[in-house]
Amino acid sequence: MYVYDQHDHAIIKQRVQQFRHQTERFLNGELAEAEFLPLRLQNGLYVQRHAPMLRIAIPYGMLNAQQLRKLADITDNYDKGYAHISTRQNMQLNWPNLEQVPDILAELSEVEMHAVQTSGNCIRNTTTDQFSGIAQDEIEDSRPWCEIIRQWSTFHPEYAFLPRKFKIAVNANTRTDRAAIKFHDIGLQIVKNNDGETGFEVWVGGGLGRTPVIAELINPFLPWQHLLSYLESILRVYNLNGRRDNKYKARIKILVKAMGIDAFRDKVEQVWSRLKDSEITLTQTEVDRIKAHFTEPAYKVFAEPSKQLADQLSLNPAFNTWYEHNVTAHKKTGYAAVTLSLKKLGIAPGDISSDQMRELSDLADKYSFSELRTTHQQNIVLADVEEQQLFNLWQELLPLGLATANIGTLTDMICCPGGDFCALANAKSIPIAEAIQKRFEDMDYVYDLGDLDLNISGCMNACGHHHIGNIGVLGVDKKGEEFYQISLGGNSTSEQAAIGKILGPSFKAEEMPDVIEKIINVYIENRQTEENFFTTVHRIGLDPFKERVYEPKVA
């Protein structure tokens, strides 16, 4: 993973000092709230329902064990002993005191971490596939390209105050899209041309929130040398033409829709004609410099898959079940990637305690070259585990509550913090997630349903990505009461990208488990052999689901 050089260290420490002075001036009354607002936002600090919320950057989800131990200490010393993994692969603290935030940032800088540009109208954390670099079917490792984008976009003076926040995602997989690139302001798909040269399929204008939009293709093959000049061209067109008078119309997706993709492309090409081949053209030397930070760890050589593992799987049904759901194939023979579910019943989805962080740091040292990854689905991955060690790892995860075998299932749901924490939320999300998890405690039943995404957001800002869940749940406010709207048929993957369609009138919180169960029953009654929920919904339409969930109650 990327390691700071002297310049990185100096810049981040200067930033901490700068924010310390800004915070002191605000607390002394020398800065008004309106003046302090953009300063705190660009350092990841929101004002939430009960306390400030600090969002800590985890670039494209990469963490090392030392950093996770530091995060554990910070949550104990400055917060309430736990943290929350976000859908941008960052980590959030929900209870820091404003006065102590500069101290937190200072401690983060000691382990090459920060909270820069995790909020505000700037370029946010670039996200990617959690299995980058180890996936069997990727074109190449996407992380060096994410790091190049990170270095270009961090502290970029021209893009510090964009019309609205700006999100970029990169995918390198040929068969699936775990980065949801078509729902980002810019989505980059790594591709090869007929000559075997690396380039990018560039998608623009996607997004969720109040107006969900699937991105449009703006460039089918961008040679890698021009990645930054083309991104810069898109950003310049957006920065000059995006609306600033209405924040609900300010995202690039609105601009692209208003102009039309062809007109938008023309403007980008005009700008690019001046920037192409300029000083920001990437050179092989620079790309190699970044790629040198993402070399393979010291893998052992295994001639064939572990026979010991095969025996352990056959002898232990519980281990076999966990293996089937939480273990992903690795490009290196004898290795596997393990996804640790943060969706245990009774725990808010995506939350992890300080004790779990410390134990997980030790396990990363022991089993996975001291590295971990956070995921878009709010879980954590150990990416380089020897197959012959999987059984031992599983046994150590069990007492930590990190061996829940539910990855990709109904109970592996994405969920925002909702009304329990967020000042923007219309309704609580976490209690709804827990009630649905309780209703579907029978994991054999859940496994029979197959892969199924259920995403929950507490408001139209869609931090829980409800639009692209196979089942989406949106919290809405009706005259001061919390209700929940259902959408069906969403999909985050590039090849089947779809925005869910609203089922109908919303429901009370206590009705939600029954509603979800009725929806699942319609799927079971109508599915064809090997047909997943998404396919069934799009084959039979919404009417059968509407008839069931809105049928009159029997007296």
Side-chain angles (χ1 to χ4, degrees):
M1 60 186 289
Y2 183 76
V3 178
Y4 280 17
D5 62 18
Q6 58 180 336
H7 303 294
D8 297 308
H9 281 288
I11 289 170
I12 292 304
K13 287 189 182 300
Q14 288 170 6
R15 182 63 174 236
V16 172
Q17 282 302 107
Q18 183 186 54
F19 188 63
R20 186 182 296 282
H21 293 318
Q22 291 164 347
T23 303
E24 288 172 355
R25 291 171 63 199
F26 172 70
L27 293 173
N28 291 335
E30 299 169 31
L31 284 178
E33 172 58 40
E35 294 172 311
F36 187 57
L37 174 67
L39 304 176
R40 65 171 170 78
L41 285 177
Q42 293 227 343
N43 288 282
L45 192 62
Y46 286 81
V47 172
Q48 293 287 54
R49 192 174 296 268
H50 306 293
M53 182 272 281
L54 181 64
R55 182 177 294 148
I56 299 166
I58 302 179
Y60 35 92
M62 290 296 299
L63 271 174
N64 63 40
Q66 181 193 18
Q67 290 172 329
L68 191 58
R69 287 191 187 92
K70 173 60 75 174
L71 289 167
D73 291 343
I74 287 174
T75 59
D76 277 343
N77 296 332
Y78 299 98
D79 209 84
K80 293 193 176 184
Y82 70 96
H84 178 76
I85 305 297
S86 78
T87 52
R88 287 215 72 70
Q89 300 179 276
N90 291 319
M91 183 175 282
Q92 296 179 176
L93 305 181
N94 284 312
W95 301 98
N97 292 317
L98 174 59
E99 295 85 345
Q100 294 180 316
V101 169
D103 294 332
I104 296 174
L105 297 179
E107 293 210 27
L108 289 172
S109 71
E110 295 171 2
V111 291
E112 303 184 355
M113 298 189 78
H114 58 75
V116 173
Q117 292 183 202
T118 56
S119 57
N121 295 332
C122 52
I123 300 172
R124 305 285 188 88
N125 187 28
T126 298
T127 52
T128 193
D129 184 350
Q130 63 268 27
F131 300 123
S132 297
I134 61 100
Q136 291 182 330
D137 45 7
E138 70 180 0
I139 292 175
E140 64 176 70
D141 190 346
S142 60
R143 294 172 300 169
W145 300 107
C146 293
E147 177 58 28
I148 288 170
I149 295 170
R150 186 192 73 81
Q151 294 194 15
W152 161 75
S153 62
T154 302
F155 298 123
H156 196 308
E158 192 172 339
Y159 308 129
F161 293 99
L162 292 166
R164 280 289 281 147
K165 57 189 173 183
F166 202 91
K167 300 176 180 179
I168 301 173
V170 185
N171 184 50
N173 201 291
T174 56
R175 292 190 296 183
T176 190
D177 169 19
R178 283 182 282 259
I181 61 169
K182 288 187 180 177
F183 296 97
H184 281 74
D185 299 294
I186 294 178
L188 298 170
Q189 173 67 47
I190 299 177
V191 292
K192 295 279 189 183
N193 65 11
N194 291 335
D195 295 325
E197 297 166 329
T198 297
F200 298 90
E201 199 176 79
V202 184
W203 296 79
V204 67
L208 299 175
R210 191 174 296 267
T211 308
V213 178
I214 299 174
E216 298 198 61
L217 184 64
I218 187 171
N219 191 327
F221 186 83
L222 174 70
W224 62 265
Q225 295 90 340
H226 303 299
L227 175 63
L228 296 186
S229 63
Y230 201 80
L231 294 181
E232 187 121 359
S233 301
I234 293 173
L235 264 295
R236 284 195 178 180
V237 172
Y238 171 53
N239 205 15
L240 286 170
N241 298 279
R243 290 183 60 174
R244 295 175 187 270
D245 61 324
N246 183 341
K247 70 176 184 178
Y248 301 119
K249 304 288 185 183
R251 296 291 293 270
I252 193 173
K253 60 190 175 186
I254 303 298
L255 179 64
V256 173
K257 278 287 180 187
M259 294 177 65
I261 186 62
D262 292 335
F264 186 84
R265 181 186 296 111
D266 288 345
K267 277 195 172 291
V268 170
E269 293 288 334
Q270 288 172 21
V271 176
W272 194 41
S273 68
R274 300 190 293 273
L275 292 178
K276 187 180 180 183
D277 299 322
S278 67
E279 66 277 7
I280 60 171
T281 300
L282 288 168
T283 64
Q284 189 64 59
T285 300
E286 175 61 9
V287 173
D288 289 344
R289 182 183 74 84
I290 298 299
K291 285 188 174 180
H293 289 278
F294 298 91
T295 55
E296 290 185 352
Y299 291 124
K300 296 178 183 175
V301 176
F302 296 99
E304 57 186 11
S306 170
K307 293 178 180 177
Q308 180 186 0
L309 172 63
D311 293 338
Q312 290 164 335
L313 291 170
S314 65
L315 292 172
N316 194 315
F319 173 58
N320 187 70
T321 299
W322 175 80
Y323 177 86
E324 288 181 351
H325 291 276
N326 294 44
V327 177
T328 301
H330 198 290
K331 68 180 183 183
K332 288 290 182 184
T333 301
Y335 282 85
V338 174
T339 303
L340 311 176
S341 173
L342 301 184
K343 314 295 172 54
K344 184 182 179 182
L345 176 61
I347 305 296
D351 278 8
I352 182 169
S353 71
S354 57
D355 288 342
Q356 287 176 317
M357 290 185 219
R358 290 191 185 89
E359 296 285 356
L360 200 44
S361 300
D362 293 342
L363 294 179
D365 284 338
K366 187 174 181 180
Y367 292 107
S368 192
F369 299 101
S370 301
E371 289 189 352
L372 312 96
R373 305 178 184 199
T374 55
T375 80
H376 157 74
Q377 292 83 10
Q378 302 176 295
N379 293 311
I380 291 181
V381 166
L382 295 176
D384 299 294
V385 182
E386 292 176 25
E387 287 184 333
Q388 62 187 9
Q389 295 292 342
L390 285 171
F391 185 72
N392 294 335
L393 172 62
W394 174 70
Q395 288 184 306
E396 295 201 52
L397 290 172
L398 284 169
L400 304 179
L402 293 171
T404 305
N406 68 344
I407 299 302
T409 70
L410 174 68
T411 59
D412 180 23
M413 56 187 74
I414 291 176
C415 180
C416 74
D420 287 301
F421 298 98
C422 180
L424 301 175
N426 291 321
K428 296 182 177 67
S429 300
I430 295 170
I432 300 302
E434 184 174 6
I436 295 171
Q437 284 181 322
K438 279 184 179 177
R439 176 62 59 90
F440 294 94
E441 276 190 286
D442 181 350
M443 291 306 295
D444 288 334
Y445 178 78
V446 169
Y447 296 149
D448 178 64
L449 300 177
D451 291 346
L452 204 167
D453 299 331
L454 193 156
N455 299 350
I456 306 175
S457 300
C459 74
M460 282 304 294
N461 289 302
C463 294
H465 295 186
H466 65 279
H467 296 297
I468 52 176
N470 301 155
I471 301 174
V473 178
L474 168 65
V476 295
D477 177 273
K478 286 187 175 181
K479 298 180 180 178
E481 287 192 65
E482 296 181 1
F483 282 78
Y484 297 88
Q485 186 183 74
I486 303 289
S487 57
L488 298 181
N491 195 311
S492 64
T493 62
S494 184
E495 64 274 21
Q496 293 183 306
I499 295 166
K501 295 181 179 177
I502 296 171
L503 199 57
S506 54
F507 302 92
K508 294 181 178 179
E510 56 269 27
E511 297 176 299
M512 286 303 295
D514 289 339
V515 170
I516 299 300
E517 185 171 356
K518 289 177 181 178
I519 290 170
I520 295 299
N521 286 341
V522 173
Y523 162 58
I524 292 172
E525 292 161 11
N526 288 275
R527 67 180 173 182
Q528 297 178 347
T529 304
E530 303 296 325
E531 189 176 56
N532 63 26
F533 181 89
F534 173 79
T535 305
T536 299
V537 169
H538 283 267
R539 179 173 57 79
I540 68 176
L542 294 192
D543 286 346
F545 296 96
K546 288 182 180 179
E547 291 170 6
R548 185 68 57 85
V549 300
Y550 296 114
E551 65 186 357
K553 294 179 180 177
V554 177

